[in-house]
Amino acid sequence: MKLKGNNYLEMAALVVFLLVFQYGIAQGHPRLIMTQKGVQEIKSQLGKVPLFDNSVAEVKKEVDAEMALGIDVPLPKDFSGGYTHERHKKNWLIMQKAGALYQILGDKKYATYVKEMLLAYTKLYPTLPLHLQERSYARGKLFWQALNDANWLVYVSQAYDCVYDFIGAKDRALIEKDLFKPFADFISIGSPQYFNRVHNHSTWGNVAVGMIALVMDDAELLERAMYGLKEDSVPAGMKDNDGGLIKKPGQKTGFLANVDEPFSPDGYYNEGPYYQRYAMYPFMVFAEALQNTKPKLKIFEYKNGILIKSVYALLNLTNSAGEFFPLNDGQKGMSYYSRELVSAVDIAYLYGGKDPSLLSIAEKQGRVQLDNSGMAVALGVKNNLTKPFVKKSIDLSDGSDGKQGGVAIIRNRNKDKELTLVMKYAAQGSSHGHFDKLSFSYYNNSSEVLQDYGLARFVNIEQKGGGNYLKENTTWAKQTIAHNTIVQNETSHFGADFETGSQFSSKKYSYDVSNPKVQIISATEDNAYPGTKMHRTMVVLETDDFENPLLLDIFQVNSKTANQYDLPFYYLGQMMSANFKYETPKILEPLGKSFGYQHLWKEAVGKSSSENTKFSWLYEGSFYTLTSATSPDDELLLVRLGANDPNFNLRRDAGFIIRKKNTQKSIFVNVIETHGSYSPVTENAVNAFSAVANVEVVYEDENYVAVSIKNNKGKVSLFILSTMNNSATQNHNIEIKGKTYSWVGTHYYTLIK
Amino acid sequence: MKLKGNNYLEMAALVVFLLVFQYGIAQGHPRLIMTQKGVQEIKSQLGKVPLFDNSVAEVKKEVDAEMALGIDVPLPKDFSGGYTHERHKKNWLIMQKAGALYQILGDKKYATYVKEMLLAYTKLYPTLPLHLQERSYARGKLFWQALNDANWLVYVSQAYDCVYDFIGAKDRALIEKDLFKPFADFISIGSPQYFNRVHNHSTWGNVAVGMIALVMDDAELLERAMYGLKEDSVPAGMKDNDGGLIKKPGQKTGFLANVDEPFSPDGYYNEGPYYQRYAMYPFMVFAEALQNTKPKLKIFEYKNGILIKSVYALLNLTNSAGEFFPLNDGQKGMSYYSRELVSAVDIAYLYGGKDPSLLSIAEKQGRVQLDNSGMAVALGVKNNLTKPFVKKSIDLSDGSDGKQGGVAIIRNRNKDKELTLVMKYAAQGSSHGHFDKLSFSYYNNSSEVLQDYGLARFVNIEQKGGGNYLKENTTWAKQTIAHNTIVQNETSHFGADFETGSQFSSKKYSYDVSNPKVQIISATEDNAYPGTKMHRTMVVLETDDFENPLLLDIFQVNSKTANQYDLPFYYLGQMMSANFKYETPKILEPLGKSFGYQHLWKEAVGKSSSENTKFSWLYEGSFYTLTSATSPDDELLLVRLGANDPNFNLRRDAGFIIRKKNTQKSIFVNVIETHGSYSPVTENAVNAFSAVANVEVVYEDENYVAVSIKNNKGKVSLFILSTMNNSATQNHNIEIKGKTYSWVGTHYYTLIK
């Protein structure tokens, strides 16, 4: 029997319930991530599979070092970054690893260590009040937020499972009665505003309860994990610390609801890759545990195999260094080298059909999870089954139905140079979403050409607001002006109102990468500013006329009223040149008063002086030039982040803003060129100058827009977009400058000279 | 016969002259870098020595690609970075390589290519006026500065040497008459203000003339190269574009003078490592050519083997990534991977006693020079002779007599972490010097903890002022406030007057690294501000009480008048925390009006509020904390570079300034701590907090200063410096806080609690 999708949730509930009672929980321990059979297989291969053996050795080294320091289960008091927080966190990680080592190596010292630590927690836990720090909407007991308590339980359930038999019935009874059952009750019944929602936080909660349920064979807890609390006392409209709504009326909850809702059919998670990565671990290990204990559930086939798909989505949401695109609240630098992705890749390999391309990711990761999935991966690598994981252009839909916009990633790879466009036309992205409709970022390999700022937070660094979200995350990072997209009248999309933003998503107009030389994503947004329609079309254009592919950006805006439109480009590195005149003020003032504008210093103010505005910069050895088809009255601003930042929480990054004032209908056309190179060792500047001679809007009416690009040798190409009809089979026919162009489909690209 | 030092220059002149005529020039071609015997040896090893074979293959690929494009010898018109400049530069590089390939591979197409290009130059050269660009104090013909013409000739002489026999007498006669002789005359007799000085520019000029003299067997040119022009028309007091004096009265000139004067006995070159690297190529290849043609000259033994020593000095003037410390006008990122250092290391290996540790540098470089020295290196590597090149602490004297101060590099290596202090107490450093007496920079491996700004120039990037020095090099980079040292009354050292600065150097007080745990450099400067004595003592302290070694910085200043003293620390990365209150202004204003202060924005202004001021930051995965024993009235400034920078030529780097006002005598005591780590992948913040509980000046009088450092576990250590007696054998005896300390030598360090 196979469960299918969203609409069958009621039926699925019944089915699971029956399965639990019909088949019962698998006998014996371990049974979650490790299984008795699995352990036997692992033991038989020990010493023969380098990647696995190295991972065992590494874990052993880490655990032995920690064990030498002795057990410390301190009275909780600190925020993340502080001692007690980090200690309890370390404890959960080391317990889980020690449990695995006990199973694999059979050395009782590891089991003893876990047992003693569990007994220490068993002694401590019943004495604990709510955590002293009051910041969280759902405080924990070991940690300042229930979320971290749930993290603890997800890992410690695995440790307990591994040493279950070793501990003995009497101590088990005590541990379950004083620690695990009240722990599971506290993070569920005791924290309904945390447990009973659809959010990455709650996924951890659901899985924590589910994992310990599976170990303890507790059907009631398992049902709670799968379907949430039947009743809760969450007041309507209650919000979390990030301003996120706890629960919509009638919202389904529990693990399956957390699989159903945030994932799109393509495996995109609505909060973005950073949080998808975070949630991936509980999703995947619980799925693995369910597969081991309840194979008939076929959890990996649930919703068309969404869990496996989501691993692929995540891997595609990385730059060439494996770092996730920092969409929404994402901390830069997080990558598929994280422990969550090691686990996810291993599980996806074993339970997703042993795709050999996943082995190449595992090889880069250089370590595996200490279970059967890790062994399967290590064996695959040993047996030379590895194939490259080739990241292609991909359009990931957003929304549980796949109809709430999406994120398009367009890649062009040529030799060692991979240019990557990330265009976001998604839904709000839950409480971690940013007000950044139709924004984009652009990469040259792992080098950020035009950046997405990411979040204003230093995760787990206590000096910076306890490692939590900083005020500037709201006042800057979430605001529209912090992104490479249009801001109308210095006000963020939806007035930066989360509820309003959550009602809408942008709409795909066209995504077409069938021609690898003309890859296009086009999307519209009609709700960010009531009465204003925005349409952005971005094309990665590979042509012989230029050294590297160009990024063509056509941003049309049309409003019922006259407005000011700002389109920023956040570049990194050193400005090289600008072809327009500008003034640099003697004193620096903020660009505005609110919606993030208060954080930007106005470093220079200019006006476009010719038909094309050019701005060049150098970053990490490559030159870049933005050529813009500007109008004579366009204002050009050079800005620098850092105003109104009393705690120095913001990076001093730079931006270039094109501003059009007092206009109803407007078009921004920009070409971003990657050219040349510079090395401080050879001191050779190669192709340091732009090769774009001219960018021109040669045609625009209600139905079409056409842009020509001329290079410095006189070669001219033309891109035409049908702006009112996105049918792939429609015939088009227009005359531009005396010449007729005919084609089929949404867009047309040709050399004309 | 062996030449010795400076004072024997007259005699040396005679000797060389005699040698030239007694022994004559070695017969046959090639004879400079390649020799007939050498070529035979190389050919016999071809295909058997991987490092050499790879280098041949790489060069062949490059030359073949260029040859496929055909020969282009354009009419000169551009600055560096522009087409004609880069083309002629490419031509010299490719000709030199093609010549080498002809000798090694015997394929005549390479000789033909060189011959044809030489004939093209022979046709062009007589038609050339001075270069159109008028910026240089010594314009060239092929290039905007004679310096680049000399570069061309140094390389092309080698090419000519390689194809000399191939060309035939008739064409040779034409080439020598219309190209090489007038070329050599133009850059010498025709450009005396360029040729007849002691400067890296002139070294190139001398060597260019010397190299072509050796090929053409022209004794008169050779003498000119070795000893300069006997008469010139250089007006007294004439300066170059950088404000450098052309020539002191009675100045000796020519190649030997350029060896005698700028190098200290330790091999430090007075302009700093960036220019030493630049000059190294002509020094070393000409020495090699002299050794090949005039072995009795024993040029490598000249001045106690100074040329070989200078290669070691250069290698020691690099961080753990091989990048040169950017002292004076140095562009960051330049490293021992440059072609000049490949050549220098190879030549130093073959002619300096085959030191196996040089092979480890060559291995990293991954290529060798295509001559006998390169073959010797490649054979050494093949035969597994390589030993590691271990960079130890070193004190490099400055000045031809070694008595004009110096540069101390103190290193502490522990596992993979190398902390490096670079303390500069040198002379002015010629026209490329900065006004930065007693300044320092500090590295954690190759990560800049506290930076030296380097230069304000984008070498060879045409958009940025033709790739030449920018105005901001004078108004910012050379100024004292751009460095981590004291500025008195917002005025640079010597009032930023080059002539004044050139008269003085700082003095070493003590350098002692005999105890690897307490490594010290101490130096004084009495002339930067007349009437003010400065004494800076820096100690790299390794102690069990801290995770990593500390940098202790004691800066004493004592003036006849009351002054304001600013001590800046230019950190990189993200500020984490400060323990003092500060205001962040609503608008940003420059910190001052001149001497570089006009380029700093005042981002925050505070006052020290406790006995210790603490300032922490995070950079490239490590935490750093500066703990300062401040007085209650000390002003604390957070500054950001970028004011009055209309062309965006400056990086927006940050600084922390401690300001003491209206004081005659003062002491700045700072401890810089390297601690912990942060990874965005694990999101673990380890040891994010400073472990320095207190820094205190516990004693100070005319003769001694003592500083105690307490860690967060109550451990206290004490450092005492005898400030008036730097004898290593002196007995000292003082009482501090009721306890007597006795020791021998300049300083004493002990744990006291």
Side-chain angles (χ1 to χ4, degrees), chain B residues 77-183:
Chain B
K77 70 178 182 54
D78 298 331
F79 272 130
S80 34
Y83 177 74
T84 70
H85 182 104
E86 296 305 319
R87 185 66 256 169
H88 286 297
K89 184 172 172 184
K90 194 106 195 179
N91 284 349
W92 89 49
L93 290 168
I94 297 297
M95 268 200 276
Q96 191 263 351
K97 289 174 177 176
L101 287 181
Y102 169 62
Q103 287 294 335
I104 293 168
L105 303 176
D107 188 333
K108 286 184 182 168
K109 73 177 181 187
Y110 298 111
T112 305
Y113 178 77
V114 175
K115 178 179 173 181
E116 285 177 6
M117 199 182 283
L118 284 178
L119 287 170
Y121 274 105
T122 301
K123 206 168 158 190
L124 174 71
Y125 194 76
T127 72
L128 292 180
L130 277 187
H131 196 276
L132 300 176
Q133 306 288 355
E134 298 183 353
R135 187 186 298 166
S136 176
Y137 75 101
R139 285 149 70 189
K141 288 189 168 182
L142 289 176
F143 300 92
W144 69 278
Q145 50 178 354
L147 168 62
N148 301 129
D149 284 43
N151 300 149
W152 187 94
L153 188 55
V154 168
Y155 284 85
V156 176
S157 298
Q158 298 172 53
Y160 183 50
D161 182 42
C162 285
V163 301
Y164 189 94
D165 292 338
F166 174 87
I167 283 183
K170 194 177 147 205
D171 284 330
R172 279 207 305 265
L174 182 70
I175 290 169
E176 294 188 5
K177 178 175 76 65
D178 283 355
L179 180 62
F180 288 130
K181 283 187 179 173
F183 201 114

Side-chain angles (χ1 to χ4, degrees), chain A residues 274 331 334 459-460 463-464 574-575 582 586-588 603 640 644 646 648 652 678 680-681 683 688, chain B residues 274 331 334 459-460 463-464 574-575 582 586-588 601 603 644 646 648 652 678 680-681 683 688:
Chain A
Y274 177 78
Q331 177 160 282
M334 180 54 78
V459 182
N460 292 332
Q463 289 102 316
K464 287 291 190 190
Q574 178 71 45
M575 170 182 162
Y582 56 80
K586 290 290 161 199
I587 57 167
L588 289 192
E603 281 199 320
R640 176 82 46 185
N644 286 294
F648 288 74
R652 268 40 179 174
Y678 184 74
V681 175
E683 292 185 337
Chain B
Y274 177 79
Q331 177 160 283
M334 179 54 79
V459 182
N460 292 333
Q463 290 101 317
K464 287 292 191 189
Q574 178 70 45
M575 170 182 163
Y582 56 80
K586 290 289 160 200
I587 56 168
L588 289 192
W601 295 116
E603 281 199 320
N644 286 295
F648 288 76
R652 267 43 179 171
Y678 185 73
V681 175
E683 294 186 337

Side-chain angles (χ1 to χ4, degrees), chain A residues 736-753:
Chain A
I736 297 176
K737 291 190 173 177
K739 202 176 161 203
T740 301
Y741 299 93
S742 307
W743 75 95
V744 177
T746 313
H747 67 275
Y748 181 61
Y749 176 74
T750 184
L751 285 174
I752 56 175
K753 210 191 226 167

